[in-house]
Amino acid sequence: MPTLLQKLFGKRAVGNGSSRDYSTAAEQCWASAEFDLAQIRLIVYQDCERRGRQVLFDSKAIHKLDTSEPTSDETKTPPNRSGACHIGSQASEKDKPPSYQYTRPAPDVTMLGEMMFGSVSMSYKGSTLKIHHIRSPPQLMVSKVFSTRFGSSTSESTNTLQDSFESMSQTFPSHTSSIGVCRVPSAPLLCLARSASFFAAHSNPVDMPSRGHSEDGDSGIARSASLSSLLATPLPSPGSSFSSGLSSSYQRRLLRSQATSLQHGPVPRWNTEEMFSLSDESCSSNPVMIQRKKIAISIIISLPEREEENHNFQEFFFSHFPLFESHMNKLKTAIERAMIVCRRIAESSQRVQVYLCRVMEALGEFRMTVWNLYMAPRISEPVWLSMISQSTERNLLCQRFLKEMSLLMEHGAKSQFLSALLTAVLTHHLAWVSTVMPSSMPPIKSGCQKPASQTADLLAKSHPYNPLWAQLGDLYGALGSPVRVCRTVVVGRRRELVQRVLYVLSYFIRCSDLQEHVQPQEQMDNPASPCTSQTTDPTPEKPDPLKPTACVIGTSEKALNSDLGNAIPGTSVEQNHEILLTDTKSTSPSPSVELTTVRSEFTEMAQECFGEDSDSVGGGLEHILASQSPLLHRVQFHIGSPSETANDGQAGGLTGAGCGRGLDRKLHQRLLSDIRRNESSDSALGDSDDEETSAQELYVATEQNEYELPLPRQVQTRASVNHFGRSLLGGYCPQYMPDFALHGISSDHRLKQCLMADLEHTVLHPALDEPVAEALCIVADTDRLSVQVLTSQKRVCEGGRLGRDVMVSNLVHTLITSVLQLYLFDIDCVLCVMHLEDRLQEVYFKSRSLAEYLRGQTRVPVKELGLALGIESSDIPLLAAVASTHSPYVAQILL
Amino acid sequence: MNALVALCHFCELHGPRTLFCTEAVHPPSPSPPQPGPAIPGDRDREADREGEGLTMRANSSATQGADMCEGCRSLPASHPGFVSVDGETGIRYLSHQHPRQPQLFSVVRQACVRSLSCEVCPGREGPIFFGDEQHGFVFSHTFFIKDSLARGFQRWYSIVVVAMDRIYLINSWPFLLRHLRLTIQSLQNTALKVFDSEQCVCPQRAVRMNSAFSPAVFPHQRSGNAARSLTSLTQHPNLWASLHSSFSWLLKACGSRLTEKLLEGAPTEDTLVLIERQTEQEEEMSGWDGAEGGVSNPQPSQSESVQAKDFQFDDGRQEDILGPKFKSLRHLRQVLGASDFRQLAWHVLMGNQVIWRGADPGLIQSAFNVLKALLPVGCVRAVPYSPHYEEAYRCNFLGLSPDVPIPAHVSSSEFSVLVDVLNVERGCVNPVSDDDILSLYHFNISSANTQATDRGPTLLNKMEVALSNENLSVEVVSLCLLCLKEEWMNKVKVLFKFSKVDGRGKEDTQKVLALLGATGPGEEDNVRLLKFWMTGLSKLYKSHLMTAVRVGERTLSHPP
């Protein structure tokens, strides 16, 4: 039986021939492994300095009381394989909520608490993320530990706590025995009751930092302003140089690489203030942080027993982690609310029931979402990705695509359904723009193949960023400014029709294709193992004996070089500077007087310009300190040509590099205070002072030249991967799926229920890990032939409608019309698709003129555009959105 | 990868310690987008680092008494460390006992302490991920190494991977786990062999059982041995060099584990033609050596410069011309007057030969430069200034000195237009500004053409709207022109395929013309324009269309 992930992500099975209807058959249910909802367990833990650790919730210890239905625990009934997971009981019986009961807590909670909070508590005030792997039984645990936040007032009496405690012990008499072990009372009820200080506290809820991307739209930098000042690397600032032709895809990737760089150490980012709120917004005036209490929310996922399924699930889990995390955040918000709400209830047993009910409901939602994310059907051959990954089948793909599109065009001809839908999709899923921006490179193979971006390729190599993250942003269309994310849902009872729409849209909703490079498993001499030369036969490429003891003290460069050169075949050693550590004392661990002297000397030097006399011979430490940083060396090492010693003499050109570098005092001070802050925050971990000596050594060592060793060869093979391009383009799903960039459903019933909340959640906790200004959803109804756009920015919609109807862009309409007419004229399909791309490129060029027209203006009435540029008003939303990807100022002018 | 790897150890005497750390130092700025002043930024960072160094040294002076045992140390303090350079990317992988970048010192310290003292891993050996925005994010794997002299006969270590990109680090969990396990197993196996051989020589259990136990003396008794280094435990003299290689490889492999295929749009026809011309020139210059045909792949810098002089300032030499000159199409239109400009532009777009005759080559050159912008690059064949007439097949822009006669077949042809640039009789001797071309020259336009030039082509009609709108800047106008040209070039491509490649009949062609929006008012001019522009298509595109047909036929006749 093929495993789930093979089915989903593996090489598509070669279809059995031409009779296959590609749009409708091209969808697979990838669920072969059973994924039981009970595999997901939720634990809420509190760590209070005075009271110790307390379990506030453990789904394993909660059972639904038998009320009306015989099967009390809905998690025990695995959802229908082909159907989605419905949490039936809660949805249908809103009026009669189920009641729950605690049973004896699971024996592992103590250990789990240790894992969540650690054995030493951290003084850090932000949220902490942890992932543990539990070997037996195999489980993954994801924890988020939050500091708590209260309001200042404590007016509400705490005597309700006692009440709730008593009533709870009545409801759950089963455990009164094992209290007090390891500061973790094993009676969860008791904990809940005691910890009910939640219920008596107030403050505002966590208001997420809306650090306005709308305000910050110019820079588009998803991090604090302080960082931009720290970024020493000169960047093409998006505001100024965007229109020079760099795509926002490139910009986003570059900025991401810098935002996540270690180079400047940790810089707090946009979402650090996240805390756990223990009271509602009724008194939001003066929030006070209670630093001594932490709350951990953990999701524990039981892994499949079978090794392969286990492996596959883990691959899926870790590659899709941002989505899991986003849903965990949603769960956290629900738990917060549950605690706040139940606090308002006077009667204690009822209070507990309300709390349990609400948390269980949120957990049900979480389980369902995860289940659906894992199990829902996908488009197995998304047109765009297939076209760019396989050149052999290109002709067939084009034929299929055009056929499906023309069928669709006929279907909704009167209402311009397809034109409206594509207008919306092209306006909001903006990743297509960079795929039509004209390259300056000639195509490498044939003229129809778009060239791969070489600048992006180079960037990825020298400034690595996360390609999965980039792909996620592409799919959600997060390329404009301000950043908006979009998903598209196709609703309709006619399955084939919906699938046809999905298939066609999978050409327009684009993202980069990902490839994985892996080390062959069977390789004996894996570069990851350092001791292979001893355990196995050493290979010639391996760096050979390097005697660390033979090196530095009192050794001249010449001796060193020859020594190493003899000792290490296949290694080129460069010493551009002499290593002259004549002072042997300074290398010993004990303190030395000389160092102090040198320090003061160095201080003086650093305050002036220095480095001029780096040629001087016979210098002591001063010389070393003043010599250029190794960072400035351009040392070439050629992998695979081990005999080559690549000293290309660049050192000579750089000898003066140290001259003129003054200390930038501001930066200096800032970094100093950062370091001090970090050091002081270490205090909870014990004394860190004793490594200060090492810092000194470190400093001395930094100004020396390291021994150069070759990088081990990277044997690479390519494989398809678990990536968003394959997983977030959904098929005809039984239920609305919040994560998918594209999917179809039969009815918009549930969509209506939860879409607005989902969009709001997306803005608060974007899976994209960067601030998002607005979340949108395109809803295309194939039954009613309507296309609407819904937004997280609440706007009044008439008559209970979901959102605004989409105005058909004339540009898009004529584009599709002419492409399809060419197709009907029997023109080569590949050419038709090329023409489609050319026409999309025209849209891009038009957006350039629009942007140029708006440059420097403050506010432009839309009417003027028609007169001046011949742009029709129906095209303006599309063109403005496209323009915002290369000219961020556009959005602000065209309000 | 934007990360560092460190080996940490829980020393029995000194607690958690960082032993060995490999960091990736990235080149300062990506080369393609506007290099800018890269060096100053670099220097700033250098300065920062030096500042840090000072502080640490200052702070450390008080605590230098703290000792460090062999077990807490990897490289001797004087060891310069190791470096490996990735030649392709310029990324340098540096290994020292502690991170070389001071701002990372406390980050690694924190990760080390948390991995060995704070975080709880079931079974004590295994992977954990933890972290926050302030301290960075850490993938940690703890493990034991056998030591016959240690308490419990083993020592506790961890390898931590530290990054700010929490999502990437988590995405990389399976990869990191797989490879760190190899690293760890390799260390463990090696140490186990050493342990076994040591036990053979001197079974410690027996020694310990026999020695009298005294709690007060115990730690001191063993303190001499407590300090065994990992090198001694593995008997691997090159351990650190090997570990450096492993960690560097891990960082590199993890960073390049996933690669993106990010596509750009096809180059415009103008770009392709320019590249083709450049290649031809190069081949001509290099004689037969490089005559292999086809299109070479010029370096990015070359093609960027190609694009830079794309459509507007074709030769880029306009600035060099002294004397009066035309600055833009709008300027030309103002000077010639709307009607004459219309006529001239019409001839340009129809592919007729445009001859300028006058005494000022600079002025004529500038006129050609702005007029060229109306055409695709492939349609421009210019002879800027010639002492004799050149035939129309050789050039559609021709500059002549005033006395050159125009052959009769040309002057009577409806396919050419002549602009005579005549000097204005100067009434006053005052120097006139260069801008005021009209005060210097008079322009006389003549053509044997009898067709109306005021109906089409559609492109010209739209162009004139933009030109006459004074609210539009020159840049906007040129972008509008670019849009119009690309729009019509796309029609040209379809028409070429339809009529030249597929060889369809007139009726079908008429349908396609209607479909392309080329019919209606000015249809005749539109069709002429399309036909003329077809001659400007790049060779690459043409040859591609021919091949595409063949591939298509093959596919159709042999269904899979």
PDB file of all heavy atoms in Angstrom, chain A residues 119 135 263 325 465 512 528 629 682 696 698 707 709, chain B residues 46 64 83-84 99 103 110 118 125 166 171 183 260:
ATOM      1  N   SER A 119      13.830  22.568  33.723  1.00  0.00           N
ATOM      2  CA  SER A 119      14.101  22.343  35.131  1.00  0.00           C
ATOM      3  C   SER A 119      14.466  23.641  35.835  1.00  0.00           C
ATOM      4  O   SER A 119      14.355  23.761  37.038  1.00  0.00           O
ATOM      5  CB  SER A 119      15.232  21.317  35.281  1.00  0.00           C
ATOM      6  OG  SER A 119      16.350  21.767  34.563  1.00  0.00           O
ATOM      7  N   ARG A 135      10.382   9.342  22.779  1.00  0.00           N
ATOM      8  CA  ARG A 135      10.670   8.134  22.021  1.00  0.00           C
ATOM      9  C   ARG A 135       9.626   7.049  22.235  1.00  0.00           C
ATOM     10  O   ARG A 135       9.224   6.373  21.309  1.00  0.00           O
ATOM     11  CB  ARG A 135      12.067   7.608  22.388  1.00  0.00           C
ATOM     12  CG  ARG A 135      13.013   7.683  21.195  1.00  0.00           C
ATOM     13  CD  ARG A 135      14.400   7.243  21.564  1.00  0.00           C
ATOM     14  NE  ARG A 135      15.118   8.313  22.261  1.00  0.00           N
ATOM     15  CZ  ARG A 135      16.311   8.154  22.800  1.00  0.00           C
ATOM     16  NH1 ARG A 135      16.900   6.993  22.765  1.00  0.00           N
ATOM     17  NH2 ARG A 135      16.905   9.154  23.396  1.00  0.00           N
ATOM     18  N   GLN A 263      23.878  37.509  11.963  1.00  0.00           N
ATOM     19  CA  GLN A 263      24.993  38.443  11.910  1.00  0.00           C
ATOM     20  C   GLN A 263      24.923  39.513  13.004  1.00  0.00           C
ATOM     21  O   GLN A 263      25.927  39.918  13.542  1.00  0.00           O
ATOM     22  CB  GLN A 263      25.029  39.107  10.540  1.00  0.00           C
ATOM     23  CG  GLN A 263      26.413  39.461  10.072  1.00  0.00           C
ATOM     24  CD  GLN A 263      27.005  38.332   9.238  1.00  0.00           C
ATOM     25  OE1 GLN A 263      26.550  37.199   9.300  1.00  0.00           O
ATOM     26  NE2 GLN A 263      28.022  38.637   8.469  1.00  0.00           N
ATOM     27  N   GLU A 325       1.603  25.943  13.909  1.00  0.00           N
ATOM     28  CA  GLU A 325       1.802  26.959  14.930  1.00  0.00           C
ATOM     29  C   GLU A 325       0.676  27.982  14.917  1.00  0.00           C
ATOM     30  O   GLU A 325       0.183  28.407  15.958  1.00  0.00           O
ATOM     31  CB  GLU A 325       3.144  27.663  14.720  1.00  0.00           C
ATOM     32  CG  GLU A 325       3.514  28.550  15.872  1.00  0.00           C
ATOM     33  CD  GLU A 325       4.759  29.369  15.618  1.00  0.00           C
ATOM     34  OE1 GLU A 325       5.050  29.662  14.446  1.00  0.00           O
ATOM     35  OE2 GLU A 325       5.429  29.716  16.596  1.00  0.00           O
ATOM     36  N   TYR A 465      17.919  31.891   2.688  1.00  0.00           N
ATOM     37  CA  TYR A 465      16.647  32.165   3.333  1.00  0.00           C
ATOM     38  C   TYR A 465      15.866  30.867   3.251  1.00  0.00           C
ATOM     39  O   TYR A 465      16.334  29.890   2.656  1.00  0.00           O
ATOM     40  CB  TYR A 465      15.915  33.302   2.624  1.00  0.00           C
ATOM     41  CG  TYR A 465      15.724  33.048   1.153  1.00  0.00           C
ATOM     42  CD1 TYR A 465      14.642  32.308   0.693  1.00  0.00           C
ATOM     43  CD2 TYR A 465      16.648  33.513   0.234  1.00  0.00           C
ATOM     44  CE1 TYR A 465      14.486  32.042  -0.659  1.00  0.00           C
ATOM     45  CE2 TYR A 465      16.493  33.251  -1.106  1.00  0.00           C
ATOM     46  CZ  TYR A 465      15.416  32.511  -1.550  1.00  0.00           C
ATOM     47  OH  TYR A 465      15.269  32.242  -2.874  1.00  0.00           O
ATOM     48  N   SER A 512       7.143  29.320  -6.497  1.00  0.00           N
ATOM     49  CA  SER A 512       8.365  28.707  -6.986  1.00  0.00           C
ATOM     50  C   SER A 512       8.287  27.203  -6.777  1.00  0.00           C
ATOM     51  O   SER A 512       7.544  26.721  -5.934  1.00  0.00           O
ATOM     52  CB  SER A 512       9.555  29.282  -6.226  1.00  0.00           C
ATOM     53  OG  SER A 512       9.388  29.047  -4.845  1.00  0.00           O
ATOM     54  N   ALA A 528      28.932  14.222   7.838  1.00  0.00           N
ATOM     55  CA  ALA A 528      28.492  14.597   9.173  1.00  0.00           C
ATOM     56  C   ALA A 528      29.263  13.878  10.261  1.00  0.00           C
ATOM     57  O   ALA A 528      29.267  14.307  11.403  1.00  0.00           O
ATOM     58  CB  ALA A 528      26.998  14.313   9.322  1.00  0.00           C
ATOM     59  N   SER A 629      40.910  42.203   9.775  1.00  0.00           N
ATOM     60  CA  SER A 629      40.050  41.108  10.184  1.00  0.00           C
ATOM     61  C   SER A 629      40.044  40.044   9.103  1.00  0.00           C
ATOM     62  O   SER A 629      40.055  40.341   7.921  1.00  0.00           O
ATOM     63  CB  SER A 629      38.639  41.625  10.370  1.00  0.00           C
ATOM     64  OG  SER A 629      37.728  40.587  10.167  1.00  0.00           O
ATOM     65  N   ASP A 682      20.881  36.219  31.639  1.00  0.00           N
ATOM     66  CA  ASP A 682      21.444  34.897  31.885  1.00  0.00           C
ATOM     67  C   ASP A 682      21.399  34.517  33.343  1.00  0.00           C
ATOM     68  O   ASP A 682      21.647  33.378  33.706  1.00  0.00           O
ATOM     69  CB  ASP A 682      22.917  34.878  31.462  1.00  0.00           C
ATOM     70  CG  ASP A 682      23.051  34.421  30.044  1.00  0.00           C
ATOM     71  OD1 ASP A 682      22.013  34.212  29.391  1.00  0.00           O
ATOM     72  OD2 ASP A 682      24.179  34.277  29.602  1.00  0.00           O
ATOM     73  N   GLN A 696      37.964  36.622  26.198  1.00  0.00           N
ATOM     74  CA  GLN A 696      39.227  37.271  25.885  1.00  0.00           C
ATOM     75  C   GLN A 696      40.008  36.452  24.868  1.00  0.00           C
ATOM     76  O   GLN A 696      40.527  36.974  23.886  1.00  0.00           O
ATOM     77  CB  GLN A 696      40.021  37.410  27.164  1.00  0.00           C
ATOM     78  CG  GLN A 696      41.295  38.185  26.962  1.00  0.00           C
ATOM     79  CD  GLN A 696      41.830  38.635  28.288  1.00  0.00           C
ATOM     80  OE1 GLN A 696      41.133  38.559  29.297  1.00  0.00           O
ATOM     81  NE2 GLN A 696      43.044  39.107  28.307  1.00  0.00           N
ATOM     82  N   LEU A 698      38.792  34.484  22.881  1.00  0.00           N
ATOM     83  CA  LEU A 698      38.047  34.599  21.645  1.00  0.00           C
ATOM     84  C   LEU A 698      38.510  35.814  20.882  1.00  0.00           C
ATOM     85  O   LEU A 698      38.773  35.762  19.695  1.00  0.00           O
ATOM     86  CB  LEU A 698      36.551  34.741  21.969  1.00  0.00           C
ATOM     87  CG  LEU A 698      35.704  35.461  20.938  1.00  0.00           C
ATOM     88  CD1 LEU A 698      35.402  34.538  19.784  1.00  0.00           C
ATOM     89  CD2 LEU A 698      34.440  35.955  21.579  1.00  0.00           C
ATOM     90  N   TYR A 707      43.264  28.191  10.332  1.00  0.00           N
ATOM     91  CA  TYR A 707      43.734  27.192   9.382  1.00  0.00           C
ATOM     92  C   TYR A 707      42.622  26.911   8.406  1.00  0.00           C
ATOM     93  O   TYR A 707      41.484  26.707   8.807  1.00  0.00           O
ATOM     94  CB  TYR A 707      44.082  25.881  10.096  1.00  0.00           C
ATOM     95  CG  TYR A 707      45.244  25.998  11.025  1.00  0.00           C
ATOM     96  CD1 TYR A 707      45.196  25.437  12.283  1.00  0.00           C
ATOM     97  CD2 TYR A 707      46.387  26.681  10.629  1.00  0.00           C
ATOM     98  CE1 TYR A 707      46.258  25.550  13.146  1.00  0.00           C
ATOM     99  CE2 TYR A 707      47.451  26.797  11.499  1.00  0.00           C
ATOM    100  CZ  TYR A 707      47.378  26.232  12.745  1.00  0.00           C
ATOM    101  OH  TYR A 707      48.440  26.344  13.596  1.00  0.00           O
ATOM    102  N   LEU A 709      40.624  24.626   5.930  1.00  0.00           N
ATOM    103  CA  LEU A 709      40.355  23.238   5.592  1.00  0.00           C
ATOM    104  C   LEU A 709      39.346  23.211   4.455  1.00  0.00           C
ATOM    105  O   LEU A 709      38.560  24.140   4.314  1.00  0.00           O
ATOM    106  CB  LEU A 709      39.750  22.510   6.800  1.00  0.00           C
ATOM    107  CG  LEU A 709      40.615  22.435   8.054  1.00  0.00           C
ATOM    108  CD1 LEU A 709      39.827  21.802   9.184  1.00  0.00           C
ATOM    109  CD2 LEU A 709      41.857  21.623   7.762  1.00  0.00           C
TER     110      LEU A 709
ATOM    111  N   GLU B  46      33.040  45.711  11.560  1.00  0.00           N
ATOM    112  CA  GLU B  46      34.336  45.462  12.164  1.00  0.00           C
ATOM    113  C   GLU B  46      34.485  46.289  13.429  1.00  0.00           C
ATOM    114  O   GLU B  46      34.925  45.815  14.466  1.00  0.00           O
ATOM    115  CB  GLU B  46      35.447  45.830  11.182  1.00  0.00           C
ATOM    116  CG  GLU B  46      35.543  44.901   9.998  1.00  0.00           C
ATOM    117  CD  GLU B  46      35.819  43.489  10.422  1.00  0.00           C
ATOM    118  OE1 GLU B  46      36.830  43.282  11.101  1.00  0.00           O
ATOM    119  OE2 GLU B  46      35.014  42.601  10.112  1.00  0.00           O
ATOM    120  N   GLN B  64      39.357  36.758  36.018  1.00  0.00           N
ATOM    121  CA  GLN B  64      40.275  35.891  35.306  1.00  0.00           C
ATOM    122  C   GLN B  64      40.756  34.724  36.133  1.00  0.00           C
ATOM    123  O   GLN B  64      41.413  33.830  35.629  1.00  0.00           O
ATOM    124  CB  GLN B  64      41.451  36.699  34.773  1.00  0.00           C
ATOM    125  CG  GLN B  64      41.071  37.406  33.495  1.00  0.00           C
ATOM    126  CD  GLN B  64      42.247  38.072  32.866  1.00  0.00           C
ATOM    127  OE1 GLN B  64      43.313  38.119  33.453  1.00  0.00           O
ATOM    128  NE2 GLN B  64      42.067  38.592  31.676  1.00  0.00           N
ATOM    129  N   VAL B  83      39.103  27.498   9.222  1.00  0.00           N
ATOM    130  CA  VAL B  83      38.199  28.162   8.287  1.00  0.00           C
ATOM    131  C   VAL B  83      38.067  27.298   7.042  1.00  0.00           C
ATOM    132  O   VAL B  83      39.011  26.632   6.631  1.00  0.00           O
ATOM    133  CB  VAL B  83      38.709  29.570   7.922  1.00  0.00           C
ATOM    134  CG1 VAL B  83      40.042  29.508   7.201  1.00  0.00           C
ATOM    135  CG2 VAL B  83      37.689  30.300   7.046  1.00  0.00           C
ATOM    136  N   SER B  84      36.852  27.269   6.518  1.00  0.00           N
ATOM    137  CA  SER B  84      36.633  26.681   5.201  1.00  0.00           C
ATOM    138  C   SER B  84      35.828  27.670   4.404  1.00  0.00           C
ATOM    139  O   SER B  84      34.917  28.286   4.929  1.00  0.00           O
ATOM    140  CB  SER B  84      35.856  25.363   5.302  1.00  0.00           C
ATOM    141  OG  SER B  84      36.641  24.392   5.930  1.00  0.00           O
ATOM    142  N   PRO B  99      32.105  31.595  19.584  1.00  0.00           N
ATOM    143  CA  PRO B  99      31.805  32.311  18.339  1.00  0.00           C
ATOM    144  C   PRO B  99      32.687  33.545  18.214  1.00  0.00           C
ATOM    145  O   PRO B  99      32.981  34.217  19.204  1.00  0.00           O
ATOM    146  CB  PRO B  99      30.326  32.691  18.482  1.00  0.00           C
ATOM    147  CG  PRO B  99      29.985  32.485  19.901  1.00  0.00           C
ATOM    148  CD  PRO B  99      30.931  31.469  20.435  1.00  0.00           C
ATOM    149  N   GLN B 103      28.544  39.379  19.373  1.00  0.00           N
ATOM    150  CA  GLN B 103      27.120  39.454  19.689  1.00  0.00           C
ATOM    151  C   GLN B 103      26.512  38.064  19.789  1.00  0.00           C
ATOM    152  O   GLN B 103      25.414  37.893  20.300  1.00  0.00           O
ATOM    153  CB  GLN B 103      26.373  40.308  18.652  1.00  0.00           C
ATOM    154  CG  GLN B 103      26.296  39.709  17.269  1.00  0.00           C
ATOM    155  CD  GLN B 103      27.508  40.048  16.427  1.00  0.00           C
ATOM    156  OE1 GLN B 103      28.568  40.386  16.950  1.00  0.00           O
ATOM    157  NE2 GLN B 103      27.379  39.948  15.114  1.00  0.00           N
ATOM    158  N   GLN B 110      23.937  31.002  26.146  1.00  0.00           N
ATOM    159  CA  GLN B 110      22.566  30.747  26.570  1.00  0.00           C
ATOM    160  C   GLN B 110      22.082  29.389  26.040  1.00  0.00           C
ATOM    161  O   GLN B 110      21.500  28.593  26.770  1.00  0.00           O
ATOM    162  CB  GLN B 110      21.682  31.865  26.021  1.00  0.00           C
ATOM    163  CG  GLN B 110      20.206  31.688  26.276  1.00  0.00           C
ATOM    164  CD  GLN B 110      19.751  32.469  27.481  1.00  0.00           C
ATOM    165  OE1 GLN B 110      20.489  33.284  28.005  1.00  0.00           O
ATOM    166  NE2 GLN B 110      18.537  32.218  27.932  1.00  0.00           N
ATOM    167  N   CYS B 118      18.861  23.377  31.591  1.00  0.00           N
ATOM    168  CA  CYS B 118      17.489  23.811  31.809  1.00  0.00           C
ATOM    169  C   CYS B 118      16.459  22.913  31.149  1.00  0.00           C
ATOM    170  O   CYS B 118      15.504  22.485  31.790  1.00  0.00           O
ATOM    171  CB  CYS B 118      17.290  25.226  31.283  1.00  0.00           C
ATOM    172  SG  CYS B 118      18.410  26.401  32.007  1.00  0.00           S
ATOM    173  N   GLU B 125      19.089  11.804  26.456  1.00  0.00           N
ATOM    174  CA  GLU B 125      19.746  11.854  25.147  1.00  0.00           C
ATOM    175  C   GLU B 125      18.680  12.062  24.088  1.00  0.00           C
ATOM    176  O   GLU B 125      17.698  11.319  24.048  1.00  0.00           O
ATOM    177  CB  GLU B 125      20.480  10.542  24.850  1.00  0.00           C
ATOM    178  CG  GLU B 125      21.825  10.428  25.521  1.00  0.00           C
ATOM    179  CD  GLU B 125      22.589   9.199  25.058  1.00  0.00           C
ATOM    180  OE1 GLU B 125      22.017   8.100  25.120  1.00  0.00           O
ATOM    181  OE2 GLU B 125      23.728   9.346  24.628  1.00  0.00           O
ATOM    182  N   ARG B 166      13.334  30.752  13.142  1.00  0.00           N
ATOM    183  CA  ARG B 166      12.749  29.626  13.866  1.00  0.00           C
ATOM    184  C   ARG B 166      12.104  28.641  12.907  1.00  0.00           C
ATOM    185  O   ARG B 166      12.230  27.423  13.058  1.00  0.00           O
ATOM    186  CB  ARG B 166      11.761  30.231  14.876  1.00  0.00           C
ATOM    187  CG  ARG B 166      10.439  29.642  14.970  1.00  0.00           C
ATOM    188  CD  ARG B 166       9.614  30.404  15.997  1.00  0.00           C
ATOM    189  NE  ARG B 166       8.241  30.534  15.546  1.00  0.00           N
ATOM    190  CZ  ARG B 166       7.786  31.503  14.787  1.00  0.00           C
ATOM    191  NH1 ARG B 166       8.580  32.481  14.441  1.00  0.00           N
ATOM    192  NH2 ARG B 166       6.561  31.520  14.384  1.00  0.00           N
ATOM    193  N   ASN B 171      11.779  23.476  10.189  1.00  0.00           N
ATOM    194  CA  ASN B 171      11.675  22.758   8.910  1.00  0.00           C
ATOM    195  C   ASN B 171      12.845  21.782   8.737  1.00  0.00           C
ATOM    196  O   ASN B 171      12.701  20.738   8.112  1.00  0.00           O
ATOM    197  CB  ASN B 171      11.707  23.741   7.722  1.00  0.00           C
ATOM    198  CG  ASN B 171      10.459  24.595   7.609  1.00  0.00           C
ATOM    199  OD1 ASN B 171      10.482  25.643   6.997  1.00  0.00           O
ATOM    200  ND2 ASN B 171       9.365  24.158   8.219  1.00  0.00           N
ATOM    201  N   THR B 183      26.905  12.271  13.410  1.00  0.00           N
ATOM    202  CA  THR B 183      28.042  12.892  14.080  1.00  0.00           C
ATOM    203  C   THR B 183      28.209  12.300  15.475  1.00  0.00           C
ATOM    204  O   THR B 183      29.311  11.924  15.887  1.00  0.00           O
ATOM    205  CB  THR B 183      27.803  14.410  14.203  1.00  0.00           C
ATOM    206  OG1 THR B 183      27.465  14.926  12.920  1.00  0.00           O
ATOM    207  CG2 THR B 183      29.016  15.114  14.750  1.00  0.00           C
ATOM    208  N   GLU B 260      15.047  26.717  -4.645  1.00  0.00           N
ATOM    209  CA  GLU B 260      13.863  27.189  -5.338  1.00  0.00           C
ATOM    210  C   GLU B 260      14.143  27.328  -6.813  1.00  0.00           C
ATOM    211  O   GLU B 260      15.228  27.763  -7.205  1.00  0.00           O
ATOM    212  CB  GLU B 260      13.545  28.608  -4.879  1.00  0.00           C
ATOM    213  CG  GLU B 260      12.760  28.745  -3.661  1.00  0.00           C
ATOM    214  CD  GLU B 260      12.242  30.162  -3.592  1.00  0.00           C
ATOM    215  OE1 GLU B 260      13.042  31.092  -3.464  1.00  0.00           O
ATOM    216  OE2 GLU B 260      11.023  30.330  -3.685  1.00  0.00           O
TER     217      GLU B 260
END
